[in-house]
């Protein structure tokens, strides 16, 4: 069974940093592209970042470019999102999601990041 | 990259059909046959319902169907059921960006 489990969310002050993790199981993690998608409270889905299966190709949404860094460790079946210079507008549930044929076929349960003083 | 445009809400009675539109540009919806649709119940993670414009993943009822014409994609739910009440989001591949979501539509079963 495919499972994606996010962790690392919490309360952080504006300007602070946080590192999210996503533990994958039930599939060959190293063969799949992965993404982070977020959802602000009461708002819609927003794509955040993409990483290819090998980690060689990475993309970011304009809203996080220069502040967030996506990475993966295929040996540990894990996906990461390093978030720096956090702003109030980064407050959201962050989901990791697997990509197959340009669609997100499996999602984690999400981890809540709250940026507030 | 701007979000794809969806109606804020649609509604229908049990057994009826509803259609949700998703309007983009030639750089996303109109440029690729890579539109997907997601269902999200309150407090839950999104679930893939349609991919590649009109394909259904295993386990998704055939009441759900997708199509595309030009820069607009559509999701139709036929034979509406109570459990279909949820938020629905479209998503399109957009080249080097590479993904853009729709604004979301709340489906209400009357």
């Amino acid at each position: 069974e495919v499972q994606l489990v996010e962790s690392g969310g919490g309360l952080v002050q504006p300007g602070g940093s946080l590192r999210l993790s996503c533990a994958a199981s039930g599939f060959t993690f190293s063969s799949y592209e992965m993404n982070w998608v977020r959802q602000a409270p009461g708002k819609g889905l927003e794509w955040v970042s993409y990483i290819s299966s090998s980690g060689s190709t990475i993309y970011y949404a304009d809203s996080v470019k220069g502040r967030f860094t996506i990475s993966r460790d295929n040996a540990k079946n894990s996906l990461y999102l390093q978030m720096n210079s956090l702003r109030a507008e980064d407050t959201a549930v962050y989901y990791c999601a697997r990509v197959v044929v340009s669609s997100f076929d499996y999602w984690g349960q999400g981890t809540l990041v709250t940026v507030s003083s | 990259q701007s979000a794809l445009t969806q109606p804020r809400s649609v509604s229908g009675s049990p057994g009826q059909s509803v259609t949700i539109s998703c309007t983009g540009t030639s750089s996303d919806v109109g440029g690729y046959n890579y539109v997907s649709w997601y269902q999200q119940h309150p407090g839950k993670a999104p679930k893939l319902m349609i991919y590649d414009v009109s394909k259904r993943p295993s386990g998704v009822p055939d009441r759900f169907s997708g199509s595309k014409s030009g820069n607009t994609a559509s999701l139709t739910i036929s034979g509406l059921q109570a459990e279909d009440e949820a938020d629905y989001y479209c998503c399109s591949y957009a080249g080097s960006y590479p993904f853009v979501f729709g604004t979301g539509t709340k489906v209400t079963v009357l």
Side-chain angles (χ1 to χ4, degrees), chain A residues 1-81:
Chain A
E1 177 193 7
V2 172
Q3 282 199 316
L4 298 169
V5 180
E6 302 94 337
S7 61
L11 175 63
V12 61
Q13 292 188 338
S17 298
L18 214 53
R19 188 195 196 206
L20 305 184
S21 299
C22 172
S25 61
F27 66 102
T28 305
F29 180 72
S30 59
S31 297
Y32 288 85
E33 304 161 14
M34 298 294 295
N35 289 258
W36 288 98
V37 177
R38 69 183 181 184
Q39 186 170 36
K43 303 297 184 181
L45 300 172
E46 179 189 14
W47 170 76
V48 173
S49 185
Y50 158 96
I51 187 167
S52 62
S53 57
S54 67
S56 61
T57 301
I58 286 172
Y59 298 110
Y60 297 101
D62 291 342
S63 57
V64 306
K65 198 174 296 182
R67 300 187 299 121
F68 289 12
T69 302
I70 191 172
S71 62
R72 65 189 297 160
D73 186 335
N74 286 341
K76 294 184 177 180
N77 292 336
S78 293
L79 175 72
Y80 306 102
L81 186 67

